[in-house]
Amino acid sequence: MSTSNRNYLLDDELNARLLATLPRRDTLKLRARIVDYEIVEMAVLFRTGELTSVQITVAYINRISTLNGSFETYDENGGYNAFIRIDANEALEQAALADIWLASQTDPRGPAPPLCGIPLGVKDTIGIKGRESKNGTQAFSTNFAINDATSVARLRAQGAVLVGHTICSELSGDVIGQFAGNAWDPDRVPGGSSQGSAVAPIARLVAATLGEETSGSIIIPAAVNGVSAIKPSPGFVSAAGVMPLRAGWDTLGPMARSMRDASLILAIVGGLDRENDPQTLSAPIPLPALPIAARPGKTPLLGLKIGIPQTDWMTTPIRSPLESYGADHRAAFLRFKSQLTALGAHVVDFPGLDLSLEQNAPYLSGIPFYSLKGEDGENLLMVNAALGTTWPAQLETRQWLAVQEFAESLTNTEHRDFLLKRISPQWSHDTASLIPAGVRVEAESRRRQQQQLYTQALDKEDIDFMMMLPVGGHVDPRFAEHYDRIPVRRSFVEAPNGLAWPVVTFPIGYGNTDVTSPMPITAAFWGRRFDEVLIVQAAIDFQDRFPEYHQAAPPDPDFSIRTRRPDNIPRVRDLPPTCSADPTISLGSRSLP
C-alpha cells in the first residue's frame, strides 16, 4: 500500500497525551523574536491565539530569503545554504489550513495535534510528494517523489508545514559537509551528511528538521552546530521513501533546538510501517511513550549510572577521552560531569569495549571473512560482516536496479555517467547476487554477537547508558587546504547504527579558544537498542535545569563580507574515500572498479 493512501492521524489517546504534556502558558518566557520559540512553546501560543502558523511561517521564509543564499547550489552559495529548495507558496497554504484546524472546535479529525502549523524541513534524501529529492547532486534532477515518505506523510497528517528540503552531502557520502556553512560561523564546516538539517533550526530558518544517518550523518552535524537531535535505533522510524545508502543501517531522526521538541517529533514519525519498512517490526509494538516534559525535583537523574567509556571513542591507538579533548571541550566535559552528578546521576569511567581489538569487533572490524573470486582468481569483492548484512538486503529491495533504471532514463549524459560511475549500480547488483545465503546468515550472527559484546560491557559495570563528546575540538574552516576539518571526532563513528543503538546529542557549552566566534560543544548519550525513552528523558531533564546552552542563538551573519572558496580548494567529490559516510567504504571492504 502506498504511503500516500495511509491514514496517519494520531489516535485520540496519543494525541491527548502529547497535548497534555505541552507547557502551561504562564511558564513560557518572552523571546526576543518569534523564531526563537521552541516547538512546544509555539504550540501553546497557537492555542492561545497569540501566534499563528502563517506568522511564524512568513518569519522563517523571510529569514531563508535573507540568509540562505541561492537554491539548487551544491557548492558554496554565498549564504548558509541550509535549504537546497523550498516551496514558499505551498508552505503558506499549509500554514493557513493549519490555522483553520487550530481554531476549529468541530473538525472531524479532532483537536489539532501538537505539530499542527509547525514549519519543518527534511533532508534532501526524503521524499515529499511532487517535489524532487536529489541526495546532494544534480545528477538526481527530475527524481520527483510519487508519494510522501512515511515520515513525511505522518507529519503532513498532523498539519505540519513542510517548508522544503535541506541540503546534504553529495550522495550522503561525506561527514565533513562542505556545502552549507556552520550555523555559528558560516566560514566553518557544518558536518555531514545531514548538514542543512543541522544548520537550519539553529540559524532560525525553520523550527526543526528531519535528518538521516547511516554512519554519523546526524550525530556529527548535530554536534558541530549545537543541535538537540535523536539518532534513533534503526526500525524505530520507517525509512520508506528515503533514498537509501545501506539497508538496515539507514535511520531517520529529528534535529531541533531542544530535546523535548525532538522527542515530540520522534513520537509522531515513529512507529510500525508493516507494508513499507519491515524493519519497523523489530521495534516494540506499540512504541514506548516518549517523554516531552522534564521530571520534577532537584535530582531527576537519581538512580542512573552513566558510564564514560575509556576505549573506542576518540582515537586510535586508544587514549581516554579526556586526554583527547581540546581545552574548551575538556572544560565543558568536566563541568557537564559535575552537572549530571548534581542532578543525582552516578557518573563513572568504565572500560567500555575496545573495538580496535579484533575479538571485540566481530561485526564492526571491517575485516573480510569471505571473498568472491573471478575466473582468474582475483578477488572481486572482499565481504566483511557489515557488507554481508546490508548488500543482500539492498539486492532484495532493488536499490541498485532503481538507480540503474533512473540513470539510463536520463537524457543528460553527464548526470547519467556520474551515477553509473559513482554508484556502479549494475556491478553492485550483479556482485551482491553472488553472495551465498550462508554468508548473510554468518554476517547477521556477527551483528548479534557485536550487540551482545557491547551489552555485556555495560552490564558488567551496571551502566545504564554511556556519555561522551562526539567531537572533541572546534571544527576547522570550510575552505582549508587539508581534509581533516573535524578534529578529534570519534573513531568507529558507524558503531551506533552497526549495533542499531540510539544516540542523542545536545549542547553543553560554547568555546572560542582557537576560533574568533563562539562555537558549540555538544555531548551525547548512547543507550542500548530501543532505550530511546531513557536517554531522551535524561537529556530533557538536563536542558530543563540548564537551558542556557540549547536556547542560545548565533548572531545573524553579514554574508556580504564573508570569505568565498578559493579556486584551489577541492570540492566534495574530490575528497578521499576515508571521508565517506558509507560504512562499507570507511571500513575498507570495497574497492570501486
Side-chain angles (χ1 to χ4, degrees):
M1 184 182 296
S2 66
T3 58
S4 62
N5 294 325
R6 297 287 302 277
N7 180 2
Y8 286 117
L9 286 174
L10 296 182
D11 63 69
D12 293 341
E13 182 179 349
L14 176 57
N15 194 31
R17 183 184 72 81
L18 294 177
L19 288 171
T21 59
L22 295 177
R24 299 193 320 272
R25 174 62 184 88
D26 60 3
T27 66
L28 301 189
K29 294 182 179 179
L30 181 66
R31 306 295 183 196
R33 306 167 296 182
I34 61 172
V35 294
D36 290 326
Y37 285 104
E38 298 173 23
I39 290 175
V40 295
E41 295 171 334
M42 291 181 197
V44 172
L45 296 177
F46 287 167
R47 284 155 179 79
T48 63
E50 297 169 85
L51 182 66
T52 68
S53 177
V54 168
Q55 285 176 317
I56 191 63
T57 301
V58 168
Y60 282 131
I61 290 174
N62 285 341
R63 288 182 61 78
I64 292 171
S65 176
T66 302
L67 299 173
N68 190 79
S70 59
F71 299 121
E72 299 293 354
T73 304
Y74 292 110
D75 208 331
E76 197 273 331
N77 77 338
Y80 272 126
N81 205 10
F83 276 96
I84 190 66
R85 73 190 63 86
I86 69 171
D87 190 325
N89 290 332
E90 185 176 341
L92 290 171
E93 290 174 3
Q94 292 173 355
L97 291 173
D99 284 332
I100 293 174
W101 190 0
L102 285 160
S104 174
Q105 301 297 319
T106 59
D107 194 289
R109 294 168 293 182
L115 286 185
C116 184
I118 302 297
L120 303 171
V122 302
K123 186 180 178 182
D124 194 21
T125 58
I126 303 172
I128 301 177
K129 185 177 180 179
R131 304 192 200 181
E132 290 177 293
S133 295
K134 299 185 181 179
N135 199 8
T137 172
Q138 296 295 352
F140 275 118
S141 295
T142 72
N143 180 43
F144 289 93
I146 298 174
N147 294 312
D148 286 332
T150 298
S151 56
V152 170
R154 287 175 169 158
L155 293 174
R156 191 188 297 277
Q158 313 315 309
V161 176
L162 302 171
V163 175
H165 280 104
T166 54
I167 200 166
C168 68
S169 302
E170 186 178 79
L171 299 177
S172 294
D174 166 60
V175 296
I176 293 172
Q178 285 181 307
F179 293 153
N182 190 286
W184 289 86
D185 183 351
D187 286 340
R188 297 189 177 273
V189 297
S193 63
S194 300
Q195 53 194 278
S197 289
V199 173
I202 302 302
R204 274 55 175 178
L205 305 183
V206 75
T209 58
L210 287 182
E212 179 274 329
E213 169 161 327
T214 303
S215 182
S217 290
I218 289 176
I219 296 170
I220 296 299
V224 302
N225 287 281
V227 177
S228 297
I230 306 172
K231 197 292 297 177
S233 308
F236 199 103
V237 178
S238 173
V242 178
M243 301 176 74
L245 185 60
R246 290 288 162 232
W249 287 43
D250 301 336
T251 186
L252 277 72
M255 308 182 76
R257 293 195 291 272
S258 73
M259 191 56 62
R260 59 182 181 174
D261 284 356
S263 185
L264 174 60
I265 294 171
L266 185 61
I268 287 173
V269 300
L272 182 65
D273 187 13
R274 190 187 307 272
E275 296 91 345
N276 300 297
D277 185 359
Q279 187 168 220
T280 60
L281 290 167
S282 65
I285 301 174
L287 287 175
L290 286 160
I292 310 298
R295 290 174 289 196
K298 295 182 178 180
T299 55
L301 304 186
L302 190 65
L304 285 178
K305 188 175 183 181
I306 302 173
I308 301 169
Q310 299 302 294
T311 55
D312 172 39
W313 198 249
M314 280 297 175
T315 59
T316 304
I318 295 297
R319 291 188 296 163
S320 70
L322 199 56
E323 294 178 289
S324 305
Y325 299 152
D328 287 348
H329 288 69
R330 186 181 302 112
F333 176 78
L334 292 173
R335 181 182 64 231
F336 185 51
K337 285 179 60 177
S338 298
Q339 291 166 331
L340 293 176
T341 301
L343 294 179
H346 183 35
V347 185
V348 299
D349 294 342
F350 82 113
L353 188 68
D354 186 351
L355 290 178
S356 67
L357 301 178
E358 183 178 347
Q359 64 268 28
N360 289 341
Y363 184 73
L364 294 169
S365 68
I367 298 175
F369 70 92
Y370 176 81
S371 63
L372 292 172
K373 297 184 181 296
E375 295 180 358
D376 57 359
E378 180 184 3
N379 289 329
L380 293 177
L381 182 69
M382 303 295 289
V383 182
N384 63 24
L387 188 149
T389 59
T390 60
W391 274 41
Q394 289 166 258
L395 185 71
E396 292 173 358
T397 56
R398 299 184 74 255
Q399 175 180 327
W400 294 298
L401 289 183
V403 174
Q404 181 82 19
E405 293 165 1
F406 176 82
E408 291 174 347
S409 72
L410 297 176
T411 57
N412 185 312
T413 57
E414 180 183 356
H415 291 170
R416 180 176 68 242
D417 293 345
F418 170 80
L419 293 177
L420 296 179
K421 181 178 179 181
R422 280 293 298 272
I423 299 177
S424 303
Q426 190 65 59
W427 180 89
S428 300
H429 175 86
D430 292 345
T431 306
S433 67
L434 300 175
I435 298 177
V439 171
R440 182 177 189 177
V441 171
E442 171 64 18
E444 295 287 0
S445 174
R446 292 183 178 218
R447 190 175 195 179
R448 290 192 294 273
Q449 292 173 29
Q450 189 72 79
Q451 292 169 332
Q452 183 179 23
L453 285 170
Y454 240 109
T455 299
Q456 290 172 346
L458 271 65
D459 289 348
K460 183 178 180 180
E461 305 291 335
D462 294 323
I463 301 298
D464 290 299
F465 59 82
M466 294 180 284
M467 181 271 278
M468 64 287 292
L469 307 188
V471 174
H474 293 304
V475 291
D476 292 342
R478 294 168 68 196
F479 309 136
E481 296 182 6
H482 54 87
Y483 290 126
D484 188 12
R485 301 183 183 92
I486 301 180
V488 205
R489 67 178 175 89
R490 72 174 302 269
S491 303
F492 297 98
V493 70
E494 70 283 346
N497 280 347
L499 288 164
W501 284 16
V503 179
V504 300
T505 63
F506 50 96
I508 61 169
Y510 296 84
N512 61 356
T513 296
D514 55 354
V515 297
T516 57
S517 302
M519 297 294 289
I521 300 169
T522 307
F525 291 156
W526 184 10
R528 296 169 176 82
R529 192 174 191 195
F530 298 124
D531 260 359
E532 279 81 356
V533 171
L534 181 68
I535 59 176
V536 167
Q537 182 67 73
I540 290 175
D541 291 338
F542 172 81
Q543 289 189 334
D544 180 70
R545 275 68 174 190
F546 300 97
E548 61 270 24
Y549 306 123
H550 74 277
Q551 291 181 358
D556 290 345
D558 181 355
F559 284 107
S560 66
I561 61 173
R562 305 208 78 82
T563 304
R564 295 299 184 96
R565 181 198 303 272
D567 291 339
N568 64 333
I569 299 302
R571 268 55 175 174
V572 165
R573 67 178 58 186
D574 300 318
L575 293 173
T578 53
C579 294
S580 176
D582 182 339
T584 63
I585 293 176
S586 64
L587 292 174
S589 62
R590 179 191 178 199
S591 297
L592 292 173

